[in-house]
Amino acid sequence: MNNIKPVIFLVPVIALIAIGVLYFYLLRKVVDKKSFRRLIFTVIIIAFLLNYIWELIQMPFYRNSFYDIRHISFCGLASIADAIMVLLLYFGVAFVFNNPLWMQHLKWRRIIILMLTGGTGAILSEMRHLSIGSWAYAGSMPIIPVVYVGLAPVLQFMLLPLLIYGVSFYSLKMGK
């Protein structure tokens, strides 16, 4: 969190526009619109909460990060962006598979696609943020060779989306 610039908001704004378009496209494809809306709301809430916890836990891996109000607030902002990206990932996979409820029929192929897409997105995002100086890694951050980005944020987007979608579907199923 060394040098926050307004350009940092460009990708989340584009993502929000894509989410809006995909949401309405996918909403037309589902029979039970109320359950779909509840699912999406649940995904957003769980995505924010789990990503916020992850952001707080990984703070020591970032240079000049402290558990003060400024950095904890930044983690909250990052978690909002993370939740947006988790939703975009969900909608993107739903669009590709032409199935708004693709998590109901989870197979290994979809898990691998989800993890690879999330990991690739995280790598590209980290490369961008590092290059514009949004943050820098501390010496404790494990670095992925070749791409030279931190392992913690890449694992975050390889593992958390699957957990978020699974918990969201489970909670929706239990709420019926």
Side-chain angles (χ1 to χ4, degrees):
M1 187 174 90
N2 297 332
N3 188 15
I4 303 300
K5 299 175 184 171
V7 72
I8 195 172
F9 297 102
L10 181 62
V11 172
V13 168
I14 292 169
L16 280 173
I17 292 168
I19 285 170
V21 170
L22 288 168
Y23 172 76
F24 287 110
Y25 171 78
L26 295 169
L27 185 62
R28 290 185 322 168
K29 293 184 157 290
V30 295
V31 175
D32 187 352
K33 294 180 184 341
K34 184 178 178 182
S35 289
F36 184 70
R37 287 185 187 107
R38 271 197 336 234
L39 170 67
I40 299 311
F41 179 76
T42 304
V43 166
I44 291 168
I45 298 301
I46 293 172
F48 173 78
L49 293 173
L50 290 181
N51 278 291
Y52 190 59
I53 291 166
W54 189 289
E55 294 287 349
L56 291 172
I57 290 170
Q58 74 176 354
M59 268 181 51
F61 293 129
Y62 290 87
R63 190 176 299 152
N64 299 322
S65 288
F66 308 99
Y67 288 100
D68 58 16
I69 191 67
R70 180 173 171 242
H71 291 88
I72 291 171
S73 299
F74 181 78
C75 287
L77 181 61
S79 299
I80 292 169
D82 294 340
I84 290 168
M85 294 307 175
V86 165
L87 198 55
L88 183 61
L89 183 59
Y90 181 85
F91 286 158
V93 173
F95 182 77
V96 167
F97 289 119
N98 197 27
N99 181 356
L101 303 174
W102 60 270
M103 274 294 294
Q104 289 179 330
H105 311 287
L106 196 57
K107 299 174 182 151
W108 279 106
R109 178 175 171 249
R110 290 181 181 182
I111 292 171
I112 291 168
I113 288 170
L114 180 66
M115 292 178 77
L116 289 176
T117 305
T120 301
I123 288 169
L124 294 173
S125 176
E126 285 297 303
M127 291 170 82
R128 178 178 168 267
H129 285 289
L130 291 168
S131 72
I132 65 174
S134 300
W135 52 72
Y137 299 138
S140 58
M141 174 69 83
I143 302 295
I144 300 171
V146 180
V147 291
Y148 302 104
V149 299
L151 179 62
V154 174
L155 284 176
Q156 179 178 2
F157 268 88
M158 289 182 77
L159 303 175
L160 284 188
L162 186 62
L163 178 62
I164 291 161
Y165 306 148
V167 169
S168 297
F169 266 96
Y170 180 76
S171 68
L172 191 64
K173 189 186 291 185
M174 294 307 293
K176 286 188 173 186

